[in-house]
Amino acid sequence: RHDMSATESIPTRELAERAKAITQRELQVYIGRTKGSQAATERAREVLPMGVPSSFQAYDPHPIVVRRAQDGWMEDVDGHRYVDFDMGYGALFSGHCHPAVRRAVETQMDNGTLFVTPCEMNAEVAELLRDRYNLPMWRFTNSGTEATMDAIRVARGVTGREKIVKVEGGYHGHHDEVMISMKPPISEAGPADSPRAIPSTAGITRAVLQDTGVIPYNNLEPLDRALSGRDVACFIVEPIMENIGICKPLPGYLEGVREITRKYGTMLIFDEVKTGITAGWGGATGVVGVQPDLVALAKSIGGGLPLGAFGGTSECMDQITAGKVLHLGTYNGNPLCMAAAKAVLTEICTPAATDEAIARNRMLLDACDGIIAAAGLPAHTVQFGAKGCVTWAPEPIQNYRDYKATDFDLAFAQWMHGINRGILLPPGLDEQWLISVVPTDHDALRYADVFGEFVAELTA
Ligand code: PMP
């Protein structure tokens, strides 16, 4: 489909200059076509800091303000349609308002939205997660943040230890102990193999900072060093990092992580908020075949409703059974979210539908690979399950430092160019697309068409 003969390679600096010129032009186009979003944002800024409900949603000059979404598309207040590749930061593997989610939620509405006493679906959904993740006991939360927060507390309870260790560049939600070294400035971050822990926000106490150790991904020696004092409760990690594009483990890395955490009696928490059910039917845990002590889930399990969960070994979860670790929440396991999750886990994201979405994603990645190869660009694609990304670097990245060395001028120009042509990617340049179980091949490939137009202009 694409001419594979590499065109004469254009120096990277020249590409970055061209990218900046594209960004400048597209920014003007964006301002011209999103007057409604601009007005809505200006109004919102009067009453909401940055005019948004979560600071991740803010970008310059103003974000797209959306009025409706269905299946694989969204429509903004100016009436423009976008093929949605962001899909709620990966929360919408079922697509927007899947008919089965709608049916389940509407049926539940007839029977009530909140009981604060159990419903039968609590056990049903927990059984479905147990079967996928091979962990026996579960509890529900309302977000990924709560899921990682509670999993960490359980790990502290079961070990009687206070310290935790996380990966530099890793995101695990917005509670204090993990809002450390999320995206630290390299100039302050210290040596690559023993990074400094840097708070990512004001409001983190020194005590919390002292209790959180930070290590690089894909490097076992610093992990061994960090855990060797036998005073670390847990190592929390995304098995495949999905907040710096997609960063995969080197062969043997996760097996090594399991061995080292076990050696020192440290609980291993897999944060599968993003990889859960999108990586494959059994999440990243199923794909990599390494069993953690605790798993944190959220996003796609809720089918668009706010639902998180964490599961663990009997040893871990007995902490809650015994009343040593308290796990609470008014909205935990509410019947509306349970009904949605049950539809997602049984009717929608079946093994076959999951595999089909992953195959459709492969097709899109192949199309992008062809474009990159034909143009001889310093870029490559990465796939993990139904997610994918273009990373603007010649070689795969292995950690946060590699990610910081990728070309953000090119990435931003591509994002800006796409949005003006109806392709909505996540705004942070650090996320990835999700191919849901819903869109047709045509919609998925639309990304490659627009990407091809961008590359043609860049290399003309
Ligand atoms: N963990 C990971 C890996 C995430 O990507 C996110 C959110 N992007 C969270 C935790 C937090 O989830 P939530 O936004 O639902 O609190």
Side-chain angles (χ1 to χ4, degrees), residues 56 89 142-146 148 171-174 238 242-243 271-275 298-299 307 431:
F56 278 146
Y89 297 138
N142 309 291
S143 67
T145 294
E146 288 172 67
T148 62
Y171 183 67
H172 303 291
H174 61 275
E238 281 189 283
E242 292 195 339
N243 282 287
D271 179 347
E272 288 224 44
V273 167
K274 295 196 84 175
T275 52
K299 296 202 194 279
L307 176 65
E431 303 245 353

Side-chain angles (χ1 to χ4, degrees), residues 43-57:
R43 173 185 175 182
R45 281 180 184 139
E46 299 288 321
V47 283
L48 297 162
M50 305 165 109
V52 292
S54 159
S55 295
F56 278 146
Q57 295 178 15

Side-chain angles (χ1 to χ4, degrees), residues 314-339:
S314 305
E315 184 200 14
C316 285
M317 300 301 271
D318 281 354
Q319 290 290 310
I320 300 176
T321 310
K324 289 186 189 155
V325 170
L326 266 184
H327 172 244
L328 309 170
T330 300
Y331 290 101
N332 290 0
N334 70 81
L336 215 54
C337 292
M338 292 293 100

Side-chain angles (χ1 to χ4, degrees), residues 107-167:
T107 303
Q108 188 53 47
M109 293 278 248
D110 291 338
N111 296 314
T113 59
L114 185 64
F115 307 149
V116 298
T117 190
C119 61
E120 288 176 309
M121 284 184 293
N122 296 146
E124 281 180 74
V125 177
E127 285 163 6
L128 293 166
L129 295 176
R130 175 195 62 192
D131 294 347
R132 287 192 188 228
Y133 290 89
N134 198 26
L135 285 167
M137 300 284 273
W138 292 81
R139 274 285 179 92
F140 300 107
T141 67
N142 309 291
S143 67
T145 294
E146 288 172 67
T148 62
M149 179 181 78
D150 289 317
I152 288 170
R153 186 174 294 146
V154 166
R156 284 177 163 151
V158 74
T159 58
R161 302 172 179 180
E162 295 189 1
K163 289 191 187 332
I164 71 162
V165 168
K166 73 176 284 289
V167 164

